[in-house]
C-alpha cells in the first residue's frame, strides 16, 4: 500500500474540521427552546471528543469510492449515539464520573435530570439525522436506520454495558468468552457500524462492506487488548493516566485471563487481521490503513 | 356517525390483545443475553399499560382504510417510546416514583443503572421496529422514522419534560402559552404521532393525515385541561387518586391560569374540534370517535 504522499495528521485535521462543521449545523442552536436542554446537548457534544467514529465513517465512504459529503449524516449520527452513551455512562447511577477529557461532565454542569434528557435527546437526534440520508442503490435509508438501531440496542452497545456492570468488581464472573463479548459489544460494534454506515452511504459492494466489518471488529478488539496490556505493563507517566488501575479495581482483563504472552500474540494477530482486511481497497484504503496503525501500533 | 353496532369495550379488548401479542413477539425474550436487561425491559413494558397510543395507531390505520396488521410495527414502536419515557421519568433524579399502576417501577426492581439502560434499549428498539416497516406508496420508511424521531426528540417529548421540570414548584414561571406548550409537547405530540404513523402505514391521503393531526392535538390538549379541572373539583374517591395534588404541589394548571369557567369552555371547544376533525372519515372513523369521547366525555 503506497502511502508516500499520505499525511495522517493533515487527514485527521481536515476530516475533523468537516465533522465539527456538520455537527454544529445538525445540532439545534443553544437558543432553541428549551435552551438548557440544547446547551446540555452541545456541552457534551463539543467537549473535546476525538471524533474517531465519524472519521471512520468518512474514511470508509472514501475507501468505497464515495464522497465525504455523502457520509456526513451517518458520521453525525454515530457521534450522537457515542456522546449520548458517554453522558449516560457518566451519571451517578452508572460510573459517576465528574470529569471527562478535562471538562466537567454533563450532569455536573446541568444536573442529573437534564443530563439524562440530553442523552435521550441525542439518541433521538441520531435517528432523525440518519433518516435524512437518501440511501443509495444498494442500501435503503431503512437499512441504515436498522444498522444504527440494532447496534445501539439491547444486544450490542447497551447489552455490553449491562454485561460490564454485572462483572464489575467480580472478575471471577468473567471468562474468556464473556470478556470478548463485552469488548465486541461495547467497543467494536459502534466502530464497525460507523464504518459500515459510511460504506453504505457510498453504495459499497458486499465485499467492501464485509471487509470493513472485519476491519472494525478486529480493530476494536485489538485496541481493547492493547489497552489492557499497557495498563499492566507501562508506567502511569508513559500512559498519561493511572497505570495498574485494572488490577487495583479487580477488573477482568486479557492478560489476567490469558496471560501476557498470549495477549500480546492475540493483539498482534488481530492487528494483522484488521490491516489485511483493507487489501481489497488497494490505494483507496490508505487512510483507513493509517488510522488502523495509529490506533494499534502502540509500544506493547 | 352511525355507531349502533359499535361496542367500544369489545373493540378495545380485541385491539389490546393484538397489541400485546405484537409487543411480546417484538421484544427480545427474557432469556436473551443480557437477561437482566431484557427482563427489565419486559417488566416495564408489561406492567399494565392501557396501550392507548398503539390502539390509536391501529384505529387510525383502520380509519384510513388500512389493515391492523399493517400498523402493528408503528403501534409497537410508539409504545416502546412511551414506556422508555416512563422508565426515565420514574428515576430518582426525575420524579422519583417507586410505584406505577400498582407495580414497582423499573429501578426499584432492577436498580437505577439497569432501569436507565432498559429505557435506552426500548428507545433503540422503537427505531429498530419502525425501520422494519416497508413503507407505503405515499410514505417511505424514512418518513416514518423521521416522524417518530422528531416527536421523541429535544423539541417535543423531551423538550416538554425539560420545560415541565423548569417550572416545577414555581408556577409563576408558567404563563398560558408556556402551559399549552408543555401539554402539546408532553402529551399531544406522541398521541398525534401514534395516529399519524398508523395513518402512514395505511397510505393515508394528505387530508386524512391532517385530520388525524388535528384530532390528536386537540384530544391531547383537551385531555390535560380536563385532568386539571377534575383535580381541582373532584373528590379523591371519585378521581381514584389524590385530588387537589396540583394546588398542593404548586403545579401550574389551566384553572389556576385561566379560571375554572374559561378552562371548561376551552375543554369543550377542543373536544368538539377533535371530534369534528373525524368527519372526513365518515363511518370508518367510528372507533376513533368512540375513543375520543371515552377520553374526553368526563364529568367536569
Amino acid at each position: 500500500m503506497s502511502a508516500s504522499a499520505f499525511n495522517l495528521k493533515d487527514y485527521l485535521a481536515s476530516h475533523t474540521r468537516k465533522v465539527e462543521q456538520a455537527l454544529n449545523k445538525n445540532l439545534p442552536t443553544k437558543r432553541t427552546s428549551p435552551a438548557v436542554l440544547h446547551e446540555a446537548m452541545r456541552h457534551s457534544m463539543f467537549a473535546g471528543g476525538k471524533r474517531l467514529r465519524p472519521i471512520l465513517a468518512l474514511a470508509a465512504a472514501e475507501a468505497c469510492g464515495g464522497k465525504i459529503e455523502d457520509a456526513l449524516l451517518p458520521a453525525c449520527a454515530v457521534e450522537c449515539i457515542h456522546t449520548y452513551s458517554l453522558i449516560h455512562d457518566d451519571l451517578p447511577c452508572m460510573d459517576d464520573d465528574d470529569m471527562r477529557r478535562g471538562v466537567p461532565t454533563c450532569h455536573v454542569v446541568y444536573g442529573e435530570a437534564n443530563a439524562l434528557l440530553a442523552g435521550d435527546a441525542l439518541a433521538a437526534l441520531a435517528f432523525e439525522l440518519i433518516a435524512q440520508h437518501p440511501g443509495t442503490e444498494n442500501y435503503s435509508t431503512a437499512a441504515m436506520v436498522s444498522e444504527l438501531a440494532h447496534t445501539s440496542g439491547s444486544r450490542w452497545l447497551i447489552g455490553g454495558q449491562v454485561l460490564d456492570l454485572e462483572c464489575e468488581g467480580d472478575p471471577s464472573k468473567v471468562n474468556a468468552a464473556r470478556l470478548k463479548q463485552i469488548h465486541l459489544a461495547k467497543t467494536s460494534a459502534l466502530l464497525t457500524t460507523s464504518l459500515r454506515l459510511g460504506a453504505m452511504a457510498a453504495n459499497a459492494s458486499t465485499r467492501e462492506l464485509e471487509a470493513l466489518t472485519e476491519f472494525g471488529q478486529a480493530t476494536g478488539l485489538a485496541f481493547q487488548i492493547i489497552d489492557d496490556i499497557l495498563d499492566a505493563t507501562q508506567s502511569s507517566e508513559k500512559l498519561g493516566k493511572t497505570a495498574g488501575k485494572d488490577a487495583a479495581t479487580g477488573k477482568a482483563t486479557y492478560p489476567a485471563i490469558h496471560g501476557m504472552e498470549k495477549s500480546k500474540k492475540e493483539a498482534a494477530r488481530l492487528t494483522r487481521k484488521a490491516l489485511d482486511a483493507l487489501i481489497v481497497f488497494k490505494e483507496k484504503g490508505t487512510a483507513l490503513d493509517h488510522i488502523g496503525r495509529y490506533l494499534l501500533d502502540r509500544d506493547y
Side-chain angles (χ1 to χ4, degrees), chain A residues 10-134:
Chain A
D10 290 349
Y11 182 91
L12 292 178
S14 73
H15 284 62
T16 304
R17 201 157 48 236
K18 293 200 188 220
V19 169
E20 298 291 338
Q21 283 168 353
L23 287 170
N24 190 41
K25 197 188 110 200
N26 283 318
L27 258 78
T29 65
K30 278 188 182 186
R31 290 197 198 86
T32 310
S33 171
V36 65
L37 175 64
H38 294 105
E39 276 174 35
M41 291 164 71
R42 284 183 162 264
H43 170 84
S44 292
M45 182 55 91
F46 298 104
K50 292 183 301 292
R51 312 302 188 199
L52 173 60
R53 288 155 196 80
I55 287 170
L56 285 174
L58 302 187
E62 291 177 301
C64 299
K67 285 188 232 138
I68 288 179
E69 286 65 33
D70 298 333
L72 283 172
L73 283 169
C76 290
V78 294
E79 192 68 357
C80 285
I81 293 289
H82 177 59
T83 305
Y84 123 75
S85 80
L86 296 183
I87 294 175
H88 282 191
D89 260 2
D90 288 337
L91 284 171
C93 71
M94 299 276 290
D95 291 348
D96 196 11
D97 277 321
D98 287 352
M99 300 287 283
R100 182 177 283 277
R101 299 192 202 97
V103 177
T105 47
C106 196
H107 65 274
V108 169
V109 181
Y110 296 97
E112 276 183 64
N114 285 328
L116 171 69
L117 293 167
D120 289 348
L122 283 170
L125 182 60
F127 292 103
E128 210 173 335
L129 294 178
I130 196 79
Q132 283 172 33
H133 196 281

Side-chain angles (χ1 to χ4, degrees), chain A residues 132-198:
Chain A
Q132 283 172 33
H133 196 281
T136 56
E137 199 187 327
N138 295 336
Y139 307 98
S140 65
T141 308
M144 297 171 80
V145 174
S146 291
E147 170 81 27
L148 189 64
H150 193 66
T151 293
S152 312
S154 66
R155 288 181 180 87
W156 291 101
L157 198 56
I158 297 167
Q161 284 174 301
V162 172
L163 288 177
D164 203 18
L165 283 174
E166 274 187 345
C167 301
E168 215 161 68
D170 187 0
S172 70
K173 275 194 180 171
V174 190
N175 58 21
R178 171 60 60 100
L179 185 64
K180 186 175 172 184
Q181 196 186 0
I182 292 174
H183 286 336
L184 282 175
K186 276 193 71 174
T187 308
S188 292
L190 192 56
L191 291 183
T192 304
T193 281
S194 303
L195 292 155
R196 285 172 58 90
L197 287 174

